[in-house]
């Protein structure tokens, strides 16, 4: 079975945790001890029903406040597919957590309260999901039971949200009216909404094709570790270990080592199961080369045709995550890109996005917590990278405060900037 990674998003109290709890509960994917704990917590809250949100809101502070703070990951499977669900926070204060949870997602599941419609956080999360390169979005109009299962109310929200997603160039969007608390259109079809005939949420998640076959594109293999065994019988062994970010690596294939630009051939491909003739994307491998070259951690083994660019300067879209500091022009930070870590300077802050209007504000001089901006960066050593829209692995990075070792920003190289949105 293939794996679908899902990030949930939406404003506070729109029902994200309840929806995930309903998915897990109705698909029989809850361990007995977790269910018993949630039932006991529901009784302590004097609830006359099982609070499904407690199945995902695991932190004590989350249960006390009734909101999601951290990113809660849940794993479950049906007969057709395996899933990883990232329940991301809805409060604006924790937008950075939403960026973290959505950074590896194949699909964004955005929840909207049918009573309130689209609010600022709904727009914020849709914008972030779009910037992060998530190509598939499902919008669940929740709490339909509280608006008497009104088709007109659902259609109004659907049409307004579809306009927003069209502005964000999201081509694959699906809309479902649900009640997570009651269970309408989550795992089972709803008898309360006969006007909706496109099936429940789980059925859609089981059949959607979210694949992005990396075998069709040029090889990208960031070197994570150089293996040199100390035993005498392996004195000639030199292996280069890493996880394939894109493409296929084959025995006999001509490759280029970047940033040096040296070329050689693949002599062997090894996996945890032994030597193979070839391996494809997201597989951890160790390769041996036909020539003795100087290759170290942070280098990239690439196809000779369609190689990534090697550069010390680039533009990027970033989300600032530090509560203690602001990002200003001239700031010096550490940048971690694939397996390479080096120093970087913010040479300019070009613009900041207005979440409500999608317009670019070019008069900004700093980025504060949870703000998204367009910046220019110069690094002390070259990075081997692609645009984020082409490859999320080789186009993404994080910025680290040198004094505290805190991750202060997540970035996307060459990602759509505010100027692209401002013209919409």
């Amino acid at each position: 079975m293939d794996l679908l990674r899902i990030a949930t998003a939406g404003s506070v109290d729109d029902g994200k945790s309840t929806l995930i709890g309903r998915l897990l509960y109705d698909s029989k994917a809850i361990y007995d001890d977790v269910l018993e704990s949630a039932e006991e917590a529901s009784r302590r809250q004097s609830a006359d029903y099982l609070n499904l949100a407690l199945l995902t809101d695991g932190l004590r502070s989350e249960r006390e406040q009734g909101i999601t703070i951290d990113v809660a990951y849940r794993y479950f499977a049906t007969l057709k597919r395996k899933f990883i669900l990232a329940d991301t926070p809805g409060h604006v204060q924790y937008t950075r957590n939403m960026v973290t949870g959505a950074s590896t997602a194949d699909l964004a599941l955005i929840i909207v309260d049918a009573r309130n419609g689209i609010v600022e956080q709904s727009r914020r999360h849709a914008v972030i999901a779009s910037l992060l390169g998530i190509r598939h979005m499902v919008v669940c109009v929740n709490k339909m039971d509280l608006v008497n299962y009104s088709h007109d109310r659902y259609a109004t929200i659907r049409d307004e949200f579809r306009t927003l997603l069209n502005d964000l160039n999201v081509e694959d969007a699906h809309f479902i009216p649900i009640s997570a608390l009651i269970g309408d259109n989550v795992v089972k079809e709803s008898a309360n909404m006969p006007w909706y005939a496109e099936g429940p949420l789980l059925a859609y998640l089981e059949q959607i094709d979210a694949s992005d076959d990396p075998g069709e594109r040029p090889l990208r293999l960031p070197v994570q570790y150089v293996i040199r065994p100390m035993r005498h019988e392996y004195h000639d062994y030199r292996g280069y270990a890493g996880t394939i970010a894109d493409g296929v690596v084959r025995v006999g294939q001509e490759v280029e080592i970047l940033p040096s630009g040296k070329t050689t051939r693949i002599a062997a491909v090894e996996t945890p199961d032994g030597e193979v003739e070839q391996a494809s994307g997201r597989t951890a491998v160790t390769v041996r080369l036909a020539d003795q070259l100087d290759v170290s951690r942070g280098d990239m083994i690439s196809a000779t045709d369609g190689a990534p660019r090697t550069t010390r300067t680039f533009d990027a879209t970033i989300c600032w995550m530090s509560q203690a500091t602001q990002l200003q022009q001239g700031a010096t930070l550490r940048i971690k890109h694939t397996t390479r870590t080096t120093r970087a300077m913010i040479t300019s802050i070009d613009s900041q996005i207005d979440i409500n209007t999608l317009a670019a504000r070019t008069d900004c001089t700093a980025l504060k917590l949870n703000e998204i901006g367009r910046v220019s960066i110069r690094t002390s050593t070259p990075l081997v990278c692609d645009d984020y829209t082409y490859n999320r692995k080789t186009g993404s990075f994080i910025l680290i405060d040198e004094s505290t070792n805190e991750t202060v920003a997540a970035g996307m190289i060459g990602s759509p900037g505010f100027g692209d949105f401002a013209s919409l």
Side-chain angles (χ1 to χ4, degrees):
M1 295 187 293
D2 64 336
L3 173 66
L4 182 68
R5 295 176 174 86
I6 304 171
T8 65
S11 188
V12 174
D13 294 332
D14 280 355
K16 300 180 305 302
S17 297
T18 301
L19 173 57
I20 294 179
R22 173 62 66 184
L23 273 171
L24 298 174
Y25 184 78
D26 285 0
S27 59
K28 313 299 182 184
I30 301 294
Y31 290 113
D32 290 341
D33 59 335
V34 176
L35 182 58
E36 291 172 3
S37 175
E39 290 172 342
E40 176 60 27
S42 297
R43 285 191 291 269
R44 288 197 302 268
Q45 295 176 352
S46 300
D48 57 359
Y49 60 91
L50 172 61
N51 186 346
L52 295 170
L54 300 179
L55 297 174
T56 53
D57 287 343
L59 297 178
R60 181 178 179 181
S61 57
E62 291 184 347
R63 293 192 173 190
E64 290 174 346
Q65 298 180 52
I67 64 173
T68 302
I69 297 174
D70 201 0
V71 180
Y73 291 94
R74 292 295 179 267
Y75 309 83
F76 77 104
T78 66
L79 295 177
K80 297 181 179 179
R81 177 172 258 170
K82 295 184 290 185
F83 301 91
I84 298 179
L85 284 163
D87 181 18
T88 65
H91 198 285
V92 63
Q93 180 180 351
Y94 304 108
T95 298
R96 56 184 175 178
N97 301 61
M98 188 271 172
V99 173
T100 302
S103 62
T104 58
D106 304 308
L107 178 145
L109 185 61
I110 301 178
I111 295 88
V112 178
D113 190 324
R115 300 168 300 173
N116 302 327
I118 301 172
V119 296
E120 180 180 348
Q121 274 300 83
S122 308
R123 297 175 62 86
R124 181 185 298 272
H125 288 161
V127 170
I128 291 173
S130 174
L131 287 174
L132 288 172
I134 299 178
R135 299 184 297 112
H136 308 281
M137 295 193 193
V138 177
V139 179
C140 291
V141 183
N142 191 23
K143 305 185 181 182
M144 289 296 297
D145 54 307
L146 300 182
V147 294
N148 297 319
Y149 299 101
S150 168
H151 175 269
D152 290 342
R153 182 56 180 160
Y154 161 74
T156 298
I157 296 173
R158 178 199 61 197
D159 294 344
E160 183 180 352
F161 215 114
R162 181 173 286 155
T163 299
L164 171 63
L165 295 182
N166 288 339
D167 288 345
L168 296 173
N169 298 320
V170 176
E171 298 180 357
D172 184 15
H174 186 71
F175 297 83
I176 306 176
I178 67 168
S179 170
L181 184 64
I182 306 301
D184 291 295
N185 280 340
V186 180
V187 173
K188 301 176 183 177
E189 292 186 358
S190 171
N192 296 309
M193 291 178 281
W195 44 264
Y196 183 83
E198 297 182 43
L201 173 63
L202 182 60
Y204 181 80
L205 296 178
E206 286 180 326
Q207 59 84 29
I208 184 173
D209 181 11
S211 63
D212 184 14
D213 185 5
E216 299 179 356
R217 302 197 297 189
L219 173 66
R220 303 284 190 270
L221 175 56
V223 176
Q224 182 176 2
Y225 187 69
V226 180
I227 301 175
R228 293 294 306 273
M230 301 302 294
R231 294 170 58 178
H232 177 70
E233 58 267 36
Y234 295 111
H235 69 279
D236 287 333
Y237 184 96
R238 187 191 295 262
Y240 306 98
T243 299
I244 300 173
D246 216 348
V248 176
V249 58
R250 298 181 178 88
V251 174
Q253 176 183 4
E254 185 178 21
V255 293
E256 184 176 4
I257 311 301
L258 297 172
S260 68
K262 301 292 185 180
T263 59
T264 184
R265 293 189 178 275
I266 301 294
V269 179
E270 302 170 356
T271 72
D273 298 321
E275 288 197 19
V276 295
E277 286 298 311
Q278 68 178 44
S280 58
R282 297 184 180 180
T283 302
V285 297
T286 298
V287 299
R288 285 183 279 140
L289 304 178
D291 302 295
Q292 296 291 332
L293 301 179
D294 182 12
V295 183
S296 58
R297 176 182 171 88
D299 289 348
M300 179 86 72
I301 300 175
S302 165
T304 53
D305 294 329
R309 61 182 169 131
T310 301
T311 183
R312 290 179 55 203
T313 59
F314 56 89
D315 297 329
T317 301
I318 69 167
C319 176
W320 187 249
M321 299 179 171
S322 174
Q323 190 169 4
T325 61
Q326 299 181 10
L327 179 66
Q328 296 181 328
Q329 181 175 328
T332 301
L333 303 158
R334 276 190 294 143
I335 184 171
K336 186 178 186 304
H337 170 263
T338 62
T339 57
R340 180 180 294 277
T341 301
T342 186
R343 300 187 75 192
M345 174 181 287
I346 307 300
T347 56
S348 67
I349 299 177
D350 302 317
S351 55
Q352 176 197 341
I353 190 171
D354 185 317
I355 294 298
N356 292 311
T357 65
L358 302 183
R361 288 185 52 241
T362 57
D363 59 344
C364 65
T365 58
L367 293 179
K368 297 179 290 186
L369 175 65
N370 294 325
E371 290 185 341
I372 302 171
R374 185 77 169 169
V375 301
S376 297
I377 298 177
R378 175 183 294 274
T379 59
S380 59
T381 56
L383 299 185
V384 181
C385 59
D386 294 290
D387 282 355
Y388 185 85
T389 52
Y390 177 79
N391 188 304
R392 294 170 71 180
K393 295 292 186 182
T394 58
S396 60
F397 62 89
I398 60 173
L399 296 176
I400 304 166
D401 188 301
E402 292 186 292
S403 60
T404 65
N405 208 37
E406 175 191 9
T407 298
V408 292
M412 296 148 281
I413 297 172
S415 176
F418 306 143
D420 300 300
F421 291 119
S423 63
L424 297 173

